[in-house]
């Protein structure tokens, strides 16, 4: 590892530079591409959060979108004309993360005893319950505005900078989406950092032990209950942050943005990239988030040219790709595109001396 | 190192894409781009295509008319985008249109995508006219650039509700919806109107847009002896609802909003569909404008489905305003657009200060012999019998009044 | 009273549909402890195939029953083939993998099946031709249709048939042996792979029947219909005790009745105006202030599922089939 250190740093610097300059390159092609990149970043945040639950602790969560929704609604309720509240984003984001974490514990606590597949189904049900409540809490008292969704959500404002407008900083014009890009990038780095630190900490090792063999982990003196709850809460809080950002960027949210398919999509990203491996999860998220756009640019024109009309919609191809990705990865490369190094190692080597 | 390679590839892809965004050299004439957004893929792609056709027809007619703007011959092009009826995609394509420097936008189809997209248009100062987004919230945001040629839910709901109240005189009404933005929105408005008319209501019942078993809800309605039912939702769920109601021996009058105001109701509900009441925003296509119908049919070889007359009018309104302002600059023609007073395919169009259409007409239909038949037109709270309305409108509208009743038998097909 | 009976009849019919779908889940789970997530999609394909056949034959002038039977006759082999292919390609290679692996493939398979069905049958809601004449009977003041009676009868017959198969035939013995311990069963001369394949095929066949029933009863089918139905049927299977055949039946019927009564009465029971607790503005003049109404109908199944899993994971009819990986 050590001899590669220089190459590693060079690589990191290159990535950093690319990421910093990316929005300028993208906005040459149109600000729309910056927005697409922002959505991809949101998925990266979600995938990193889910990775804690699924990848680190081995608890398959099919209702992850619930936490995303909770974060988004917390933001929307605290910063929109609906209740007339307009709190600044740096107050709301932690609140959203905390509320989402609370929901994570609410989901985790009753399901501690459940095994993998039962847990998956229960989490799926939980995700649906949250969505159904959001969709119906417009009556008898109007809390969420139900299916009508919440409009006029405040954009992020830091000091005098409004993230929904263009500004010029030092002679460089930054459009709204570009500012969000850097904000999301910053959040992503923080979350990656937390992920990396967690993975190599006592907590991370405890999760790993639970994932490999829960009974043995308990026998080793690990507080499996607390650790599992922590995994749920941590994963959920990242989902909440992503949800808050989604609400701020969109300015409008409604329950139809938080359906089961979104959960499945995030699971696909984690599975495809490599459960438990941070780089892999990011790769999976970016790949699958860009799929629809890539298809739009390739499949549509190709079909138009070949058949003169669209036979298979890109949307359908996208879903088929998700489905196939899940099946093929499990069959042929169960550890994902970039397998986690830890997964290959023996559990014994990880034990504390 | 793998990662950096990946990032480089992404960068290369991104740079490669820049090439795709190249623009054509402007011809000696002036080129004006008008955007249209609707779902071209997904569950309601057929409606999206119909909307797009309406706008396309208007633009091609304008090109054929060789309109002069600022002394130059205007060449209009339609930039059609697909929002998949997904709010996330909606904002992305809205940005794409802003990037492409269109002069104005017709669309989107759904309220759920139009609302978030309208914020982007508003910031870019681009006028947007929707021909089908009926959620009142859209024009309540205070954006000066947003207009609609279609009636709002809170115009359509009261129309069907007051018709129901006036003609059927129910004592107790059950209002049911499918818990979607559209279904709940229109059901709320119906509820409000009925309440104002002092008609008793059952607590709201809800299914989902996928519900197939309505029996528990309908049994409850039957037990409470409601004598009319309003359902806010689409035909796919409304059909089974109606059928199961009749199976349970429910004799109440069933009424629906425009989502379930289609001829498919006979397929979905069978004989039970006969006698249902339903409303559509605007005039029925066959009453609207014979010229539009013929031109549409000739160009696209199909009948207009639902909202294409409204998007047709939307595109025409943009073009008219540009003509009047003698400019395709949004800043210059926006005031003209707001002042529009235009005779379109769907009747006389003028906007109020929110951008909503003033006095939008609503049509009430009934199902007769497996065909939807218009029975009344409601305008500014005034109900006119359909036959009378056609008689009154005949001298002004279509030159061949005899043709209208014949085509009246064939309303909006799905 | 008649309204209450009517709600019970509504619930039992709905429950019978859940029960038959639940049988498919329970059979597979009983043998290899796999939640066949894609089972709901098999039901959907059954409905779709039968739609195509019934639609084509609707105008042929055959008696309605014959048309439906031909529809089912075509749907069953197609679904069996889908079930077999699914087992062979997506599940068998993963039989020794960690538990999560086959569950994830199952989700993948279900997405793939859904969208393939969409390509074949379009996104639109398909309306079944209304060929079965409506016959209604009155029972304790409530209405019951001929189709409802058929569904209830068919559900009982299928459960009985399945129980006979499992407890009275050689294949059934082999199935139970495999469920107990696949390794030992193999040593005893049971072709474990064939038994598991047979289980999937039978489960898919049951799914096809359920699909035809749902399609002809409600008169509509759509490519998305499988997922919610599948989830609820799974909840029913868990409620009755997964792996247990009569349990699926009991769980299904019970869930159906809970949903019907819930939608029918919860709204009235949680109407605060009844108790004089609601805000005066809403309650004035016979108004209502309902906390939970029929809008939460879909929540009941999930709440039941969570409660059962947390408090009595073995379900109502217990008899847990071991806890092996």
């Amino acid at each position: 590892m050590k001899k590669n250190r220089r190459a590693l740093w060079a690589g990191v610097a290159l990535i950093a530079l690319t990421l910093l300059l990316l929005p300028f390159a993208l906005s040459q092609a149109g600000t729309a591409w910056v927005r697409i990149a922002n959505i991809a970043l949101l998925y990266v945040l979600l995938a990193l959060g889910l990775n804690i639950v699924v990848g680190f602790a081995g608890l398959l969560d099919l209702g992850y979108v619930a936490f995303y929704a909770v974060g988004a609604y917390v933001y929307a309720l605290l910063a929109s004309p609906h209740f007339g509240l307009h709190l600044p984003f740096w107050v709301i984001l932690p609140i959203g993360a905390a509320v989402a974490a609370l929901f994570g514990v609410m989901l985790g606590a009753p399901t501690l005893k459940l095994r993998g597949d039962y847990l998956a189904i229960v989490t799926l049900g939980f995700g649906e319950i949250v969505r159904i409540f959001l969709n119906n809490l417009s009556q008898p008292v109007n809390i969420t505005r139900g299916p009508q969704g919440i409009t006029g959500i405040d954009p992020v404002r830091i000091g005098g900078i409004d993230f929904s407008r263009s500004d010029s900083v030092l002679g460089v014009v930054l459009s709204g989406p570009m500012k969000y890009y850097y904000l999301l990038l910053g959040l992503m780095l923080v979350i990656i950092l937390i992920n990396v630190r967690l993975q190599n900490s006592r907590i991370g090792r405890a999760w790993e032990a639970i994932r490999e063999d829960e009974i043995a982990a308990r026998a080793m003196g690990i507080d499996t209950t607390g650790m599992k709850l922590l995994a749920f809460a941590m994963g959920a809080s990242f989902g909440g942050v992503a949800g808050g950002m989604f609400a701020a960027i969109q300015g409008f949210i409604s329950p139809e943005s938080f359906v089961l398919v979104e959960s499945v999509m995030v699971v696909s990203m984690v599975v495809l990239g490599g459960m438990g491996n941070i780089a892999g999860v990011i790769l999976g998220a970016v790949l699958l988030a860009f799929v629809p756009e890539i298809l739009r640019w390739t499949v549509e024109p190709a079909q138009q040219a070949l058949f003169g009309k669209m036979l298979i919609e890109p949307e359908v191809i996208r879903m088929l790709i998700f489905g196939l990705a899940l099946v093929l990865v499990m069959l042929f490369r169960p550890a994902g595109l970039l397998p986690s190094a830890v997964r290959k190692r023996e559990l014994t080597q990880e034990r504390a001396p | 190192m793998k990662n950096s390679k990946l990032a480089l590839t992404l960068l290369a892809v991104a740079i490669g894409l820049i090439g795709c965004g190249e623009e054509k050299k402007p011809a000696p004439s002036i080129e004006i781009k008008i955007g249209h957004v609707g779902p071209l893929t997904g569950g309601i792609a057929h409606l999206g295509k119909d909307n797009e056709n309406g706008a396309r027809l208007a633009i091609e007619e304008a090109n054929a008319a060789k309109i002069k703007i600022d002394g130059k011959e205007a060449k209009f092009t339609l930039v059609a985008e697909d929002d998949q009826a997904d709010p996330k995609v909606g904002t992305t394509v809205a940005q794409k249109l802003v990037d492409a420097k269109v002069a104005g936008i017709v669309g989107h189809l759904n309220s759920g995508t139009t609302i978030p997209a309208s914020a982007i248009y508003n910031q870019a100062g681009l006028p947007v006219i929707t021909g089908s987004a009926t959620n009142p919230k859209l024009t309540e945001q205070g954006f000066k650039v947003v207009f609609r040629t279609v009636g709002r839910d809170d115009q359509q709901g009261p129309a069907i509700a007051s018709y129901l109240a006036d003609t059927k005189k129910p004592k107790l009404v059950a209002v049911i919806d499918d818990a979607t933005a559209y279904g709940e929105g229109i059901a709320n408005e119906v509820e409000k109107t009925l309440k104002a008319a002092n008609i008793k209501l059952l607590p709201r019942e809800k299914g989902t847009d996928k519900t197939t078993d309505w029996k528990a809800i309908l049994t409850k309605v039957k037990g409470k002896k409601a004598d009319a039912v309003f359902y806010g939702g689409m035909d796919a769920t409304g059909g089974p609802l109606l059928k199961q109601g009749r199976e349970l021996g429910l004799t109440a009058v069933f009424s629906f909003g425009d989502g379930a105001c289609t001829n498919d109701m006979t397929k979905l509900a069978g004989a039970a569909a006969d006698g249902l009441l339903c409303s559509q925003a605007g005039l029925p296509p066959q009453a609207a404008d014979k010229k539009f119908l013929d031109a549409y049919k000739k160009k696209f070889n199909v009948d207009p489905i639902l909202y294409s007359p409204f998007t047709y009018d939307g595109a025409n309104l943009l073009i008219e305003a540009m003509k009047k302002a003698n400019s395709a600059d949004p800043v210059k023609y926006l005031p003209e657009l707001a002042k529009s007073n235009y005779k379109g395919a769907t009747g006389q169009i003028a906007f109020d200060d929110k951008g909503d259409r003033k006095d939008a007409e609503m049509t009430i239909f009934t199902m007769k012999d497996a065909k939807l038949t218009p029975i009344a037109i409601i305008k500014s709270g005034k109900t006119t019998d359909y036959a009378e309305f056609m008689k009154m409108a005949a001298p002004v509208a279509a030159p061949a009044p005899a043709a209208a009743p014949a085509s009246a038998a064939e309303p909006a097909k799905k | 009273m008649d309204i209450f009976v009517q709600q019970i009849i509504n619930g039992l019919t709905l429950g019978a549909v859940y029960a038959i779908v639940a049988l498919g889940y329970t059979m597979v789970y009983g043998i290899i402890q796999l939640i066949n997530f894609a089972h709901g999609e098999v039901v959907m394909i059954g409905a779709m195939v039968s739609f195509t056949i019934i639609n084509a034959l609707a105008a042929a002038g055959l008696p309605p029953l014959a048309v439906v039977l031909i529809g089912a006759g075509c749907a069953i082999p197609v679904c069996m083939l889908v079930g077999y292919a699914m087992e062979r390609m997506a599940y068998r290679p993963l039989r020794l993998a960690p538990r999560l692996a086959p569950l994830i493939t199952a989700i993948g398979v279900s997405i793939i099946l859904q969208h393939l069905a969409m390509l074949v049958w379009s996104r639109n809601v398909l309306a079944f031709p209304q060929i079965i004449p409506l016959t209604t009977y009155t029972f304790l003041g409530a209405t019951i249709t001929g189709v409802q009676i058929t569904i209830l009868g068919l559900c009982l017959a299928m459960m009985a048939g399945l129980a006979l198969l499992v407890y009275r035939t050689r294949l059934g013995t082999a199935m139970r042996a495999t469920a107990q311990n696949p390794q030992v069963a193999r040593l005893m001369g049971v072709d474990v792979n064939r038994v598991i394949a047979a289980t999937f095929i039978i489960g898919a066949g049951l799914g096809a029947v359920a699909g035809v029933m749902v399609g002809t009863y409600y008169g509509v089918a759509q490519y998305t219909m499988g997922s919610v139905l599948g989830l609820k049927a799974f909840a029913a299977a868990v409620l009755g005790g997964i792996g247990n055949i009569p349990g699926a039946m009991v769980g299904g019927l019970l869930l159906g009745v809970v949903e019907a009564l819930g939608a029918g009465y919860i709204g009235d029971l949680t109407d605060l105006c009844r108790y004089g607790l609601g805000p005066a503005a809403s309650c004035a003049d016979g108004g209502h202030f309902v906390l939970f109404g029929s809008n939460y109908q879909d929540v009941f199944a999930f709440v039941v599922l969570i409660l059962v899993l947390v408090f009595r994971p073995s379900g109502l009819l217990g008899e847990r089939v071991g806890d092996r990986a």
Side-chain angles (χ1 to χ4, degrees):
Chain A
M1 286 299 273
K2 261 179 194 161
K3 59 184 171 187
N4 283 337
R5 181 148 274 188
R6 280 170 71 98
L8 190 75
W9 280 112
V12 167
L14 199 61
I15 294 172
L17 197 67
T18 313
L19 287 176
L20 280 177
L21 293 179
L22 189 64
F24 291 98
L26 288 177
S27 60
Q28 290 304 308
T31 312
W33 284 97
V34 185
R35 276 181 193 274
I36 294 167
N38 287 350
I39 290 172
L41 280 176
L42 275 177
Y43 278 118
V44 171
L45 296 187
L46 285 175
L48 284 171
L50 183 63
N51 184 44
I52 291 185
V53 189
V54 179
F56 291 175
L59 307 162
L60 184 54
D61 184 349
L62 290 180
Y64 190 65
V65 75
F67 308 125
Y68 185 44
V70 166
Y73 269 88
V74 166
Y75 191 102
L77 293 177
L78 294 181
S80 75
H82 178 43
F83 286 146
L85 292 171
H86 296 280
L87 300 184
F89 105 103
W90 47 265
V91 173
I92 307 176
L93 230 44
I95 297 179
V99 175
L102 189 71
F103 271 78
V105 174
M106 267 166 59
L107 168 66
T111 55
L112 282 170
K113 280 188 297 187
L114 297 182
R115 266 198 335 251
D117 44 4
Y118 271 2
L119 178 73
I121 298 288
V122 169
T123 51
L124 193 158
F126 178 79
E128 282 296 284
I129 290 176
V130 168
R131 187 185 60 81
I132 292 173
F133 268 87
L134 290 175
N135 204 31
N136 284 302
L137 281 179
S138 53
Q139 283 169 330
V141 182
N142 195 348
I143 302 172
T144 61
R145 287 187 45 80
Q148 309 297 330
I150 298 177
T151 47
I153 301 169
D154 297 344
V156 172
R157 282 192 196 94
I158 301 176
I161 307 169
D162 183 331
F163 276 59
S164 66
R165 316 190 166 276
S166 293
D167 272 311
S168 77
V169 179
L170 303 172
V172 185
V173 178
L174 285 178
S175 63
M178 281 164 88
K179 282 184 265 184
Y180 276 120
Y181 173 89
Y182 289 116
L183 184 59
L184 285 169
L185 197 65
L187 279 173
M188 185 183 84
L189 287 179
V190 171
I191 288 181
I192 291 177
L193 205 67
I194 297 177
N195 262 300
V196 173
R197 300 295 300 161
L198 272 178
Q199 196 174 21
N200 301 324
S201 69
R202 276 183 75 89
I203 298 173
R205 286 192 293 273
W207 282 339
E208 229 173 276
I210 293 173
R211 182 185 69 203
E212 297 301 328
D213 189 335
E214 194 175 333
I215 296 165
R218 191 174 309 147
M220 295 304 294
I222 291 171
D223 171 16
T224 54
T225 307
M227 283 298 148
K228 277 170 128 181
L229 285 181
L230 186 66
F232 271 114
M234 293 286 303
S237 63
F238 292 165
V241 170
M245 291 307 298
F246 176 70
I249 294 175
Q250 284 290 101
F252 168 80
I253 55 164
S254 68
E256 64 182 334
S257 293
F258 308 103
V259 287
L260 178 60
V261 177
E262 292 285 318
S263 285
V264 171
M265 208 147 107
V266 183
V267 170
S268 310
M269 290 166 176
V270 174
V271 169
L272 176 71
M275 281 183 273
N277 181 14
I278 295 166
V281 167
I282 296 173
L283 174 68
V286 171
L287 277 183
L288 289 187
F290 271 106
V291 158
E293 289 309 316
I294 294 166
L295 290 175
R296 206 188 262 264
W297 287 93
T298 53
V299 175
E300 273 185 50
Q303 290 193 46
Q304 291 284 6
L306 282 176
F307 313 110
K309 60 174 179 177
M310 270 217 295
L311 291 180
I312 306 180
E313 296 171 357
E315 170 64 15
V316 177
I317 299 178
R318 178 174 78 114
M319 291 312 291
L320 288 174
I321 287 177
F322 284 153
L324 275 176
L326 288 176
V327 175
L328 296 180
V329 166
M330 275 299 126
L331 289 182
F332 301 111
R333 214 178 152 87
L337 292 179
L338 292 182
S340 139
V342 186
R343 283 239 152 153
K344 292 188 202 151
R345 259 183 275 153
E346 284 292 319
L347 191 68
T348 44
Q349 290 174 355
E350 279 293 301
R351 270 186 207 150
Chain B
M1 282 312 281
K2 254 186 197 166
N3 286 6
S4 59
K5 261 187 206 156
L6 173 82
L8 276 181
T9 324
L10 277 179
L11 189 67
V13 170
I15 292 167
L17 287 170
I18 299 168
C20 305
E22 268 180 274
E23 284 173 31
K24 280 182 207 144
K25 280 251 162 63
S29 54
I30 169 172
E31 193 190 340
I32 301 171
K33 286 194 243 178
I34 292 182
H36 177 272
V37 191
L40 301 178
T41 54
I44 46 172
H46 55 295
L47 295 180
K49 194 73 202 165
D50 181 49
N51 276 12
E52 186 192 311
N53 284 347
R56 194 175 289 281
L57 183 65
I59 277 174
E60 295 197 354
E61 285 177 2
N63 281 338
K66 302 208 186 308
I67 296 166
K68 284 244 160 61
I69 286 178
D70 201 14
K72 281 174 251 166
E73 190 179 312
K75 252 191 83 204
F76 293 98
T77 48
L78 188 74
V79 185
E81 287 287 352
D82 175 14
D83 66 11
Q84 300 170 13
D86 177 343
K88 244 185 355 249
V89 184
T91 49
T92 309
V93 297
Q95 186 69 56
K96 270 188 189 161
L97 288 178
V98 173
D99 291 345
K101 302 207 164 42
V102 297
I105 296 99
V106 180
H108 304 189
L109 192 149
N110 316 66
S111 300
T113 59
T114 315
I115 293 173
S118 63
I120 293 172
Y121 299 133
N122 182 51
Q123 218 182 81
L126 287 181
V128 52
I129 305 185
T130 176
S132 50
T134 51
N135 190 333
K137 269 279 155 191
L138 173 63
T139 43
E140 306 274 331
Q141 301 177 95
F143 295 157
K144 287 280 162 235
V145 296
V146 180
F147 301 89
R148 67 177 130 207
T149 50
V150 73
R152 299 161 38 134
D153 285 342
D154 50 3
Q155 292 171 314
Q156 191 191 147
I160 179 83
S162 55
Y163 186 84
L164 184 69
D166 293 347
T167 57
K168 304 289 172 185
K169 308 222 180 313
K171 291 186 183 62
L172 182 64
V173 181
V175 179
I176 307 173
D177 72 63
D178 66 354
T180 62
Y182 160 74
E184 195 205 42
I186 193 164
N188 285 348
E189 299 304 331
V190 165
E191 211 165 62
K192 253 186 238 163
T193 310
L194 291 175
K195 236 181 224 164
N198 276 326
I199 293 171
K200 289 257 184 313
L201 294 167
L202 287 177
R204 180 80 62 82
E205 303 288 343
K206 279 168 192 270
T208 69
D209 55 349
K210 293 195 175 60
T211 300
T212 47
D213 192 307
W214 292 98
K215 286 208 164 163
I217 290 174
L218 289 166
T219 301
K220 186 176 172 190
V221 168
K222 189 186 173 196
K224 306 271 183 193
K225 302 194 171 42
D227 44 12
V229 174
F230 176 83
Y231 174 65
M234 306 305 287
D235 50 5
T237 43
L241 174 99
L242 181 49
K243 185 177 131 199
Q244 289 165 25
R246 297 294 183 232
E247 264 176 38
L248 286 169
L250 205 61
T251 49
V253 185
F254 276 77
S255 51
F256 302 87
D258 56 354
C261 207
T262 67
N263 277 327
D264 272 5
M265 287 296 278
T266 34
K267 248 183 19 198
L268 291 157
D274 246 34
L276 67 80
L277 287 179
C278 63
S279 64
Q280 279 180 13
L283 292 171
Q286 67 269 24
D289 187 348
K290 191 83 174 50
K291 223 170 71 206
F292 165 75
L293 287 183
D294 291 345
Y296 188 103
K297 184 87 196 260
K298 193 166 154 232
K299 170 126 186 62
F300 304 109
N301 233 347
V302 284
D303 281 317
I305 304 177
L306 200 57
Y307 293 117
S308 47
F310 297 94
T311 52
Y312 173 78
D313 280 351
N316 273 330
L317 280 161
L318 286 176
I319 294 166
E320 275 310 302
M322 289 176 197
K323 253 185 353 196
K324 268 192 214 139
N326 205 18
S327 164
D329 180 356
V331 182
K332 291 194 184 126
Y333 84 82
L334 182 61
E336 291 296 335
L337 185 60
K339 281 190 290 192
S340 295
N341 193 354
Y342 173 76
K343 165 110 187 62
T346 58
Q348 200 66 31
I349 302 173
F351 296 114
D352 63 15
D353 39 347
K354 282 182 194 148
D356 286 318
R357 184 168 172 175
K358 274 186 201 157
D359 292 341
E361 283 110 340
M362 302 285 152
T363 310
I364 309 291
F365 291 83
T366 187
M367 188 66 83
K368 212 164 117 190
D369 304 325
K371 281 254 155 71
L372 282 178
T373 317
I375 45 175
I377 306 283
I378 297 181
K379 186 172 176 172
S380 350
K382 210 174 117 249
T383 308
T384 322
D385 189 65
Y386 183 69
E388 239 167 76
F389 178 85
M390 288 308 277
K391 243 186 270 161
M392 281 181 339
V396 200
S407 64
E410 202 191 341
K413 249 202 278 180
K414 197 171 180 189
Chain C
M1 183 60 197
D2 50 342
I3 292 300
F4 182 75
V5 176
Q6 184 73 59
Q7 290 294 22
I8 297 284
I9 292 175
N10 296 339
L12 287 178
T13 325
L14 184 62
V17 173
Y18 292 157
I20 296 181
V21 182
L23 284 176
Y25 278 105
T26 246
M27 274 187 70
V28 169
Y29 195 92
I31 298 215
I32 52 171
Q33 283 79 49
L34 164 74
I35 299 173
N36 181 13
F37 208 80
H39 187 61
E41 312 311 330
V42 174
V43 176
M44 176 269 294
I45 288 181
M48 295 304 217
V49 171
S50 70
F51 166 80
T52 307
I53 305 294
I54 293 175
N55 207 23
L57 294 180
L62 293 168
L65 189 64
V67 173
V68 175
L69 283 180
I70 296 173
C74 295
I76 292 173
V78 171
C79 286
M80 286 181 161
L81 198 69
V82 172
Y84 176 72
M86 206 156 72
E87 195 274 330
R88 191 71 191 75
M89 291 191 269
Y91 301 146
R92 190 180 294 182
L94 293 174
R95 210 169 285 154
L96 298 175
R99 302 185 79 95
L100 284 189
L103 185 67
I104 292 172
T105 35
I107 297 168
V109 167
S110 120
I111 297 175
I112 294 171
L113 285 179
Q114 238 185 55
H115 287 85
L116 288 181
M118 201 211 91
L119 289 178
V120 178
W121 285 284
S122 91
R123 277 174 196 272
N124 299 337
V125 174
L126 308 174
F128 276 67
Q130 322 254 327
I131 49 168
I132 305 172
L134 182 66
T135 46
T136 53
Y137 307 92
T138 312
F139 173 75
L140 290 179
T143 313
I144 184 163
T145 65
V147 180
Q148 283 179 308
I149 296 174
T150 315
I151 287 179
L152 283 167
L154 208 57
C155 173
L156 283 173
M158 282 172 70
M159 192 206 76
L162 202 59
L164 276 181
L165 175 89
V166 172
Y167 292 104
R168 290 280 180 275
T169 63
R170 275 185 70 84
L171 178 63
T173 313
M175 281 177 171
R176 280 180 292 139
T178 309
Q180 288 287 323
N181 190 327
Q183 281 80 21
V184 176
R186 186 172 288 127
L187 290 177
M188 304 307 280
V190 174
D191 185 341
V192 172
N193 277 339
R194 264 185 64 181
V195 168
I196 294 176
T199 311
F200 267 90
I201 291 173
I202 296 168
L206 294 173
V209 176
V212 177
M213 262 169 35
V214 174
T216 44
Y217 177 43
Y218 295 117
V220 286
Q222 200 187 6
Y223 76 104
T224 52
M225 65 187 275
S227 44
V228 175
L229 184 61
L231 270 175
K232 289 192 176 172
F234 177 78
V238 171
L239 176 61
I242 196 155
N244 181 313
I245 291 170
M249 179 86 184
V250 171
L253 293 178
L254 204 60
L255 183 63
V257 171
V258 165
E259 282 197 359
L261 292 183
Y265 292 100
I266 271 213
D268 282 356
L269 292 178
T270 59
D271 184 353
L272 290 187
C273 295
R274 275 169 72 112
Y275 313 107
L277 295 172
S282 322
C283 293
D285 200 20
H288 307 275
F289 192 83
V290 177
L291 289 184
F292 299 98
S294 52
N295 42 348
Y296 292 97
Q297 193 176 7
D298 285 344
V299 168
F300 302 146
F302 296 122
V303 171
V304 164
L305 179 72
I306 292 176
L307 289 180
V308 172
L309 284 180
V310 171
F311 292 108
R312 195 181 158 83
S314 53
L316 293 178
L317 299 193
E319 192 207 339
R320 173 74 161 233
V321 200
D323 194 323
R324 280 169 279 103

